[in-house]
Amino acid sequence: MRIEIIAVGTELLLGQIANTNAQWISKELAHYGANIYHHSVVGDNLPRVVEAFEQSRKRSDVVIVSGGLGPTEDDLTREAACEVFEDELLEHSPTMNKIIDFFKKNNRQMTMNNRKQSHVLKTAMVLENSEGMAPGQIVEADDSTFIFLPGVPAEMKSLMNDFVFKYLTEKYQLETKIKSEMLRFIGIGESTLEEKLKDLISKQTNPTIAPLAGEGDVAIRLTASGKNPEREIADMKTSILERVGHYYFGSDSITIEEAVQDLLVQKSLTVGSAESLTGGKFIERIIQLTGASSICQGGLVAYTPEAKQRVIRVPKEIITRHGTISSKCAEEMAVQAQKLLHVDIAISFTGVAGPSSSEGHEPGLVYIGIKVKDAPAEVFHYYFDGSRDKIRQRTVNKGFELLFHKLK
């Protein structure tokens, strides 16, 4: 069964609202093993809506349309459907009575255009809208089925849950399921990850394997279908982690900071930071986590050389001799932060975010120091490219990556 989703509304094309309806419908239908082949958006223009419906009718078994069922002149879904199916519109009495009753109860004058919301195609199966005015409609043509739903998310979801899922499962006898799991990795590039899994990817059938690049991490999306897709995913996940498990930090929506938090909790360790170019971005991502107080004491932010001396207590001679953008300064920042914050682990960040050079160093040079308990502080240096914001973001991401691998 080939399903596609059409959203009607110029506001979607203008970017005034996001097309969350298509996302929700696709996600929910995946549980039933339904294959979504196309997503499209068309503005409030009758010829273009007609064209979209005619194209989808030729290539899909089921077309789910959201939007364009309201009372105004630019709500054109019904009119377009009539033209495509050579049908006619009738007033649906139960819906019209509901609309009239609504305005009476609320002591409001009903304008004539509200009658439009009661209009349905003559051949349609009418779906009562418990959340709003305009009903849903199902039109079964010779070659395809069209399901028309309001664009208001609450109304669309109600009709999908009350009628559409049941209709599709009964009509098309859906028995398979589709499941996905996103495996997340850090410290390995997308191209390297793909190379290590090249033979698995080339032979993929069920589940499918899709590498995806992120900002600071990469992911592998596993998608399986069948009566027991969970087992297919589990078996492939085991094969993948046997090769690249060192870089794996979790699945689906987990973030690297959440993975670090989990390890800190497991090991009963606390963390703090001393930050210069990152301006508190590292500790902010820690503190925004639920339960952060159990693993985080706080952070120190010192941007200028003077502040590094006063706030973080970096000795003046280190700054004079080595500069603030140096391995020695990063090391001392981590050592002092551990003492001042009374934490098990301290991480420090210093470098040049740009756009201009500093202390003779080009933008992108970054030093990250890590001090763990009584062990000597370690310092790592990197060169990041990109804008000022990108360099700062990549520096923080690298800090979480270093902490994750050290905690593992």
Side-chain angles (χ1 to χ4, degrees):
M1 179 173 61
R2 295 165 299 176
I3 300 180
E4 75 172 271
I5 301 168
I6 300 176
V8 180
T10 301
E11 66 276 10
L12 295 166
L13 293 175
L14 294 175
Q16 294 171 337
I17 62 172
N19 187 13
T20 57
N21 282 357
Q23 179 188 32
W24 185 87
I25 293 170
S26 293
K27 185 177 180 181
E28 294 301 312
L29 282 174
H31 299 312
Y32 296 87
N35 295 308
I36 310 300
Y37 280 67
H38 299 279
H39 279 191
S40 59
V41 178
V42 60
D44 300 311
N45 176 280
L46 185 60
R48 289 198 287 270
V49 177
V50 168
E51 181 185 13
F53 288 179
E54 288 177 340
Q55 287 179 346
S56 61
R57 185 180 183 182
K58 294 175 183 177
R59 66 191 180 195
S60 297
D61 301 304
V62 175
V63 182
I64 300 175
V65 182
S66 70
L69 298 180
T72 59
E73 288 187 10
D74 61 355
D75 290 306
L76 300 169
T77 294
R78 303 178 192 84
E79 289 77 5
C82 279
E83 187 169 331
V84 170
F85 297 112
E86 299 180 353
D87 206 333
E88 61 178 307
L89 290 174
L90 304 176
E91 186 173 280
H92 186 245
S93 297
T95 299
M96 192 63 249
N97 292 336
K98 176 182 176 181
I99 294 171
I100 293 171
D101 188 52
F102 169 82
F103 282 95
K104 282 184 178 179
K105 285 182 177 178
N106 288 277
N107 294 317
R108 290 169 55 187
Q109 183 68 35
M110 188 187 83
T111 56
M112 287 302 295
N113 60 357
N114 278 285
R115 303 190 75 92
K116 182 178 179 180
Q117 293 186 92
S118 70
H119 293 172
V120 299
L121 275 73
K122 183 178 180 180
T123 59
M125 178 192 310
V126 181
L127 313 177
E128 182 183 357
N129 183 354
S130 61
E131 296 290 330
M133 299 295 183
Q137 303 180 52
I138 298 177
V139 177
E140 295 181 343
D142 293 335
D143 46 6
S144 60
T145 296
F146 274 66
I147 301 172
F148 298 103
L149 303 170
V152 179
E155 297 180 32
M156 177 276 296
K157 291 177 182 179
S158 175
L159 287 165
M160 288 292 294
N161 287 322
D162 291 346
F163 302 105
V164 178
F165 293 133
K166 182 180 179 182
Y167 168 82
L168 291 175
T169 53
E170 291 179 352
K171 182 177 176 64
Y172 294 96
Q173 298 180 340
L174 300 177
E175 295 180 355
T176 61
K177 296 187 293 182
I178 297 177
K179 292 289 183 183
S180 290
E181 182 174 350
M182 195 80 77
L183 311 183
R184 300 196 176 276
F185 304 85
I186 196 163
I188 184 172
E190 182 186 14
S191 58
T192 304
L193 181 65
E194 186 173 0
E195 183 64 29
K196 289 182 178 292
L197 304 175
K198 189 175 182 179
D199 60 316
L200 296 178
I201 294 173
S202 64
K203 297 175 183 176
Q204 62 177 306
T205 53
N206 188 33
T208 57
I209 306 170
L212 304 168
E215 186 58 56
D217 62 12
V218 293
I220 292 286
R221 186 186 65 231
L222 301 178
T223 304
S225 61
K227 293 188 177 181
N228 192 1
E230 295 87 355
R231 180 181 299 171
E232 301 287 347
I233 288 176
D235 290 345
M236 182 58 71
K237 179 178 178 180
T238 298
S239 298
I240 290 173
L241 295 187
E242 285 174 354
R243 303 186 186 192
V244 290
H246 173 72
Y247 306 98
Y248 172 75
F249 67 84
S251 292
D252 296 327
S253 61
I254 190 172
T255 62
I256 186 60
E257 51 263 42
E258 288 172 331
V260 167
Q261 181 189 37
D262 290 344
L263 289 171
L264 289 168
V265 170
Q266 291 172 23
K267 298 174 184 294
S268 299
L269 298 173
T270 56
V271 68
S273 69
E275 304 184 54
S276 180
L277 82 157
T278 52
K281 285 183 174 292
F282 174 87
I283 210 67
E284 178 187 11
R285 282 171 60 175
I286 287 284
I287 290 174
Q288 73 180 1
L289 300 173
T290 302
S293 60
S294 65
I295 52 97
C296 176
Q297 291 280 44
L300 307 170
V301 178
Y303 196 55
T304 66
E306 294 76 18
K308 289 181 177 68
Q309 293 179 57
R310 292 196 310 269
V311 177
I312 308 179
R313 300 182 186 176
V314 177
K316 183 178 180 180
E317 54 268 28
I318 287 180
I319 295 177
T320 302
R321 184 174 178 180
H322 301 278
T324 61
I325 304 164
S326 64
S327 175
K328 194 65 180 174
C329 185
E331 176 185 348
E332 193 63 24
M333 287 171 67
V335 169
Q336 293 298 331
Q338 187 187 48
K339 293 178 182 176
L340 293 168
L341 296 171
H342 303 285
V343 292
D344 299 303
I345 302 173
I347 185 168
S348 65
F349 303 91
T350 185
V352 189
S356 57
S357 59
S358 179
E359 297 181 8
H361 301 294
E362 292 298 314
L365 174 63
V366 168
Y367 290 92
I368 301 175
I370 297 180
K371 178 77 166 67
V372 180
K373 290 193 172 183
D374 297 328
E378 296 180 80
V379 178
F380 308 84
H381 81 278
Y382 303 94
Y383 287 92
F384 297 122
D385 58 9
S387 65
R388 177 178 174 84
D389 287 341
K390 283 291 185 184
I391 290 171
R392 297 174 70 208
Q393 183 178 341
R394 288 168 179 165
T395 300
V396 172
N397 289 338
K398 181 59 70 172
F400 278 111
E401 175 192 327
L402 292 170
L403 274 183
F404 174 74
H405 288 301
K406 186 162 287 294
L407 287 165
K408 282 187 69 176

